[in-house]
Amino acid sequence: MHSLYTQVTDIMRSAAETHILPFFQKLSAQDIEEKTPGDLVTTADRNSEIYLSEKLAALISHASIVGEEAVAADPALLDKIGDRAAWIIDPIDGTGNFAAGRAPFGILIALAEAGETVAGWLYDPLTQRMCHAHKGGGAYMDTEHITAEESGADLPIAAISTLFMNQAQREAVIHQSKGYYEIVDIPRCAAEQYPRLVLGTNDLSVFERTLPWDHAAGILFLNEAGGKAARWNGAPYKPTDRKTGMLGASSPVLWDKAAEHLAHIFSD
């Protein structure tokens, strides 16, 4: 585990208890806004990010703070992910679910050093499940070391997010998946999707938009557990690269087979 595992875990639990759960299923219309069409932010998101930013800043004095809501106000903050150290914060992942009063939703925290993710935390406030990864140090669910496993289903179980694909990509990936994968609904929450890949609930996930606060922590968690998440050409994910397109799988074997079958859809 990362040396700051306990401190960050305590901060995330406290943020959930004081700034998120008190609003769950109790949001008023005034507590919910649209940043862009379909992209919601709530009072709980903003309060949680302020709290997390202050507490995490105290752990590493030289670390930059890159929060989802702060970047929405000032996109130039994204450049700070490449700093010597940077905390990447998603104060509520799955805001659409949270605003609708349903699970799943979570908090995502990643620590990057010189643009490389070195630690990640994924917290589910409702179940109190904490997933954690430390680069080179493995993956953990709560305090137990965990290894990714396949579902074992006859057809690999695929959760395919088509939300940010263009129409041609959307139609092609669904067509190409028929007969090869069992397609299931996505949770609309990366804090839930990456654990599903590790636990063998899902075998594959396809993402088009790969913003760092949504994916940096989960990708490290999946890779450290022995699964694989990478760009379609096999290149590793970097939270600084601002590219699109990602394939995640419960095992490198499943990843290779899916990339061979689907990657041409997303080639430049």
Side-chain angles (χ1 to χ4, degrees), residues 1-11 13 120-121 130-133 140-144:
M1 288 184 173
H2 191 271
S3 60
L4 292 176
Y5 169 78
T6 300
Q7 294 96 315
V8 176
T9 293
D10 289 347
I11 289 169
R13 292 186 190 278
W121 291 257
M130 177 63 76
C131 299
H132 170 65
Y140 297 83
M141 191 162 287
D142 297 315
T143 58
E144 298 297 321

Side-chain angles (χ1 to χ4, degrees), residues 158-200:
I160 299 177
S161 176
T162 63
L163 296 175
F164 301 100
M165 295 179 189
N166 61 44
Q167 186 64 28
Q169 289 173 329
R170 186 177 298 115
E171 292 176 356
V173 75
I174 295 301
H175 176 74
Q176 286 291 107
S177 297
K178 290 179 179 178
Y180 287 87
Y181 309 115
E182 178 186 346
I183 306 299
V184 296
D185 289 339
I186 60 171
R188 295 175 180 257
C189 174
E192 172 65 19
Q193 186 59 71
Y194 284 104
R196 287 186 182 185
L197 290 171
V198 171
L199 292 168

Side-chain angles (χ1 to χ4, degrees), residues 10 32 38 49 62-63 111 117 150 155 160-161 164 172 193 216 226 230 245:
D10 289 347
I32 306 171
E49 182 164 310
H62 64 273
L111 177 61
T117 310
E150 300 177 9
L155 293 179
I160 299 177
S161 176
F164 301 100
Q193 186 59 71

